[in-house]
């Protein structure tokens, strides 16, 4: 199954909903199963990883199974090791068996990687190396990170209600280039005998062009506004970025393009986040800005992501980390992973109805007042990860329409 960016079609936001994932519906994927394939069956690679990863993946798997059974879908789940768990078991963070399973699947659902236990490992033996390697091997170059404020959680935001209410933006982050992958990189000694560390921020024109095209297409079907974030007043790589994005804008006359330096963008996201609709930026800036944008919503535990390429399986994961401090304590918020599963269905498998069922279930569970500690407020019901999963399952089964009140 190919989670292809070029073949996405987008629907407008319904007035009763604020969740931006409802803007997107896949039209067709180049590896789509033949129409005669019934019941529909897909191979999903599950990568629980470290910390709270296994807890939230367990919930998402149950939700996928239920939503799938109700919509005539079957799955072949293949669970594999990644990150610290893989290091402990095999000595490497991304075993060949894991990579092969991911490449041969229809989609990949990841929990989280990393933890204090492996912080002092050499770079090639750090859990996070597995994530970078997986993205590169799957050739997923576009990371879509929505940041939408749920009306039920507007008071959970650290920003004033009037600032946070109505925020609905999308960060389109280039994922496989830039300083995280650029060479040369490493350690050396300078002319004074001091130890130095160095990295290279580098982009080729084709890398910028393909992420720009993806972002323009997304912006076209949202509000028609695209802000490209760079540091073109200092960095040559950003100068090329701005040059290429500006040139490509000529192909999208219906999209209003603006440019912003990353330091200003980081301030504007806090001062007036509603000015943004779609943001496109490089790997490192996107990494930082998308995490900043996530906190406008009230919790990083609410936000999913999709990483897509021109073909092949997509990679779907919550944007939160492994949270080792709360791992194994039934405190994790599984909403982001469940919503990542909905993105998997929508983008990776073209299963719109099942995805919609899960999205509706998340909204219904919030409407019924269930919260984990990170989004708890007076008057709501504090529950653990497992119970919240059970409540989501109830909502999946009842399939309460989005926007309905209980």
């Amino acid at each position: 199954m190919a989670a292809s960016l070029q073949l996405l079609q987008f629907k407008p936001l319904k007035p009763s909903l604020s969740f931006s994932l409802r803007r997107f519906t896949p039209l067709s994927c180049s590896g789509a199963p033949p129409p005669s394939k019934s019941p529909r069956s897909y191979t999903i690679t599950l990568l629980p990883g470290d910390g709270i990863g296994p807890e939230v993946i367990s919930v998402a798997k149950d939700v996928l199974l239920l939503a799938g059974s109700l919509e005539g879908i079957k799955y072949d789940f293949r669970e594999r090791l990644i990150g610290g768990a893989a290091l402990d078991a095999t000595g490497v963070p991304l075993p060949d068996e894991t990579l092969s399973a991911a490449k041969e699947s229809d989609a990949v659902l990841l929990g989280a990687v990393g933890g204090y236990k492996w912080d002092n490992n050499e770079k090639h033996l750090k859990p996070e190396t597995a994530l970078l390697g997986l993205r590169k091997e799957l050739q997923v170059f576009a990371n879509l990170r929505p940041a939408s404020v749920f009306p039920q959680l507007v008071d959970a935001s650290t920003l004033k209600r009037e600032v946070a209410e109505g925020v609905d933006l999308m960060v389109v982050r280039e994922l496989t280039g830039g300083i995280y992958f650029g060479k040369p990189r490493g350690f050396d000694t300078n002319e004074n005998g001091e130890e130095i560390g160095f990295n290279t921020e580098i982009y080729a024109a084709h890398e910028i062009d393909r992420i720009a095209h993806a972002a323009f297409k997304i912006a076209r079907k949202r509000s028609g506004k695209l802000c490209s974030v760079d540091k073109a007043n200092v960095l040559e790589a950003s100068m090329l970025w701005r040059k290429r994005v500006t040139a490509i804008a000529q192909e999208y006359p219906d999209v209003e393009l603006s440019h912003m330096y990353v330091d200003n963008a980081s301030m504007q996201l806090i001062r007036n986040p509603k000015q943004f609709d779609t943001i496109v930026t490089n790997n490192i800036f996107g990494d930082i800005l998308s995490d900043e944008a996530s906190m406008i919503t009230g919790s990083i535990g609410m936000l999913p992501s999709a990483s897509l390429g021109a073909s092949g399986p997509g990679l779907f994961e919550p944007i939160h980390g492994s949270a080792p401090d709360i791992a194994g304590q039934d405190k994790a918020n599984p909403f982001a992973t469940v919503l990542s599963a909905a993105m998997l269905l929508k983008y990776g498998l073209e299963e719109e109805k099942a995805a919609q069922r899960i999205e509706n279930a998340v909204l219904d569970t919030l409407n019924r007042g269930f919260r984990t500690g990170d989004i708890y407020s007076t008057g709501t019901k504090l529950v653990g990860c497992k119970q919240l999963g059970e409540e989501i399952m109830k909502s999946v089964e009842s399939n309460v329409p989005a926007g309905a009140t209980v």
Side-chain angles (χ1 to χ4, degrees):
M1 173 63 61
S4 174
L5 267 173
Q6 283 104 356
L7 298 174
L8 291 177
Q9 181 180 1
F10 304 86
K11 290 184 177 180
L13 188 68
K14 296 178 181 178
S16 61
L17 303 175
S18 69
F19 191 38
S20 67
L21 291 189
R22 300 188 185 285
R23 295 182 188 267
F24 315 121
T25 301
L27 174 62
S28 146
C29 293
S30 57
S36 60
K37 190 175 181 180
S38 180
R40 303 180 305 281
S41 180
Y42 305 102
T43 299
I44 309 297
T45 297
L46 298 176
L47 305 177
D50 310 316
I52 63 172
E55 298 170 70
V56 295
I57 285 291
S58 177
V59 172
K61 178 182 177 182
D62 289 342
V63 170
L64 276 171
L65 279 170
L66 180 57
S69 68
L70 293 168
E71 298 294 344
I73 302 168
K74 290 186 177 182
Y75 305 104
D76 176 14
F77 288 111
R78 300 179 181 179
E79 189 169 315
R80 297 291 186 269
L81 296 172
I82 193 171
L87 276 166
D88 290 347
T90 70
V92 294
L94 183 61
D96 291 341
E97 181 186 7
T98 298
L99 187 57
S100 295
K103 287 182 173 180
E104 293 168 3
S105 62
D106 294 309
V108 180
L109 183 62
L110 172 73
V113 296
Y116 306 132
K117 179 180 179 180
W118 306 281
D119 277 352
N120 294 324
N121 285 17
E122 294 182 28
K123 183 179 181 302
H124 70 286
L125 294 177
K126 287 184 179 291
E128 295 78 7
T129 304
L131 184 54
L132 296 177
L134 183 63
R135 290 170 176 167
K136 195 166 188 69
E137 289 294 326
L138 292 180
Q139 298 181 39
V140 289
F141 64 86
N143 183 227
L144 312 185
R145 292 192 173 190
S148 300
V149 176
F150 290 83
Q152 303 93 332
L153 299 179
V154 64
D155 291 324
S157 175
T158 54
L159 300 183
K160 294 178 181 178
R161 170 180 277 267
E162 59 267 28
V163 175
E165 193 168 31
V167 170
D168 178 17
L169 62 89
M170 173 69 78
V171 178
V172 181
R173 169 191 172 193
E174 200 289 323
L175 199 59
T176 57
I179 200 166
Y180 290 171
F181 295 98
K183 294 180 181 180
R185 62 187 299 160
F187 300 96
D188 205 342
T189 303
N190 66 13
E191 62 274 13
N192 298 320
E194 291 181 293
E195 186 179 12
I196 61 172
F198 56 94
N199 298 87
T200 301
E201 167 71 359
I202 183 169
Y203 271 103
H206 81 273
E207 294 176 304
I208 302 170
D209 291 358
R210 66 185 182 181
I211 193 68
H213 279 295
F216 275 108
K217 289 173 183 176
I218 291 171
R220 169 179 279 169
K221 298 301 180 179
R222 286 174 59 92
S223 72
K225 291 174 57 179
L226 177 64
C227 180
S228 176
V229 174
D230 58 40
K231 193 62 177 169
N233 58 334
V234 175
L235 302 176
E236 282 78 5
S238 278
M239 295 174 193
L240 178 62
W241 180 283
R242 184 171 291 207
K243 175 184 175 182
R244 297 304 307 168
V245 173
T246 301
I248 290 169
Q250 304 305 310
E251 301 178 38
Y252 302 89
D254 53 332
V255 177
E256 177 188 340
L257 174 66
S258 62
H259 299 277
M260 191 175 290
Y261 296 142
V262 64
D263 43 357
N264 186 28
S266 66
M267 292 187 289
Q268 294 298 327
L269 269 174
I270 299 301
R271 188 185 73 83
N272 180 21
K274 286 195 283 285
Q275 71 182 281
F276 297 104
D277 183 80
T278 306
I279 294 172
V280 62
T281 191
N282 69 12
N283 204 339
I284 189 170
F285 296 162
D287 193 5
I288 297 166
L289 292 178
S290 57
D291 279 358
E292 180 185 1
S294 74
M295 291 313 300
I296 300 170
T297 70
S299 173
I300 200 170
M302 293 302 301
L303 300 180
S305 74
S307 299
L308 307 175
S311 62
L315 174 62
F316 304 86
E317 58 182 305
I319 73 169
H320 61 66
S322 61
D325 292 341
I326 63 170
Q329 301 176 43
D330 195 35
K331 293 181 178 179
N333 181 345
F335 274 134
T337 312
V338 170
L339 289 168
S340 295
M343 293 187 83
L344 181 155
L345 287 165
K346 184 175 291 187
Y347 290 111
L349 305 182
E350 304 174 47
E351 294 290 353
E352 171 69 17
K353 288 184 178 180
Q356 187 79 49
R357 185 181 282 270
I358 292 176
E359 293 172 9
N360 289 350
V362 168
L363 293 173
D364 181 56
T365 305
L366 288 171
N367 280 338
R368 292 188 291 120
F370 293 98
R371 306 284 192 271
T372 46
D374 57 312
I375 54 173
Y376 173 76
S377 61
T378 302
T380 60
K381 305 167 190 175
L382 179 62
V383 296
C385 181
K386 291 180 181 178
Q387 185 177 342
L388 188 60
E390 293 168 0
E391 297 300 331
I392 296 171
M393 296 276 280
K394 292 176 184 177
S395 295
V396 167
E397 193 157 20
S398 62
N399 200 23
V400 176
T405 57
V406 178

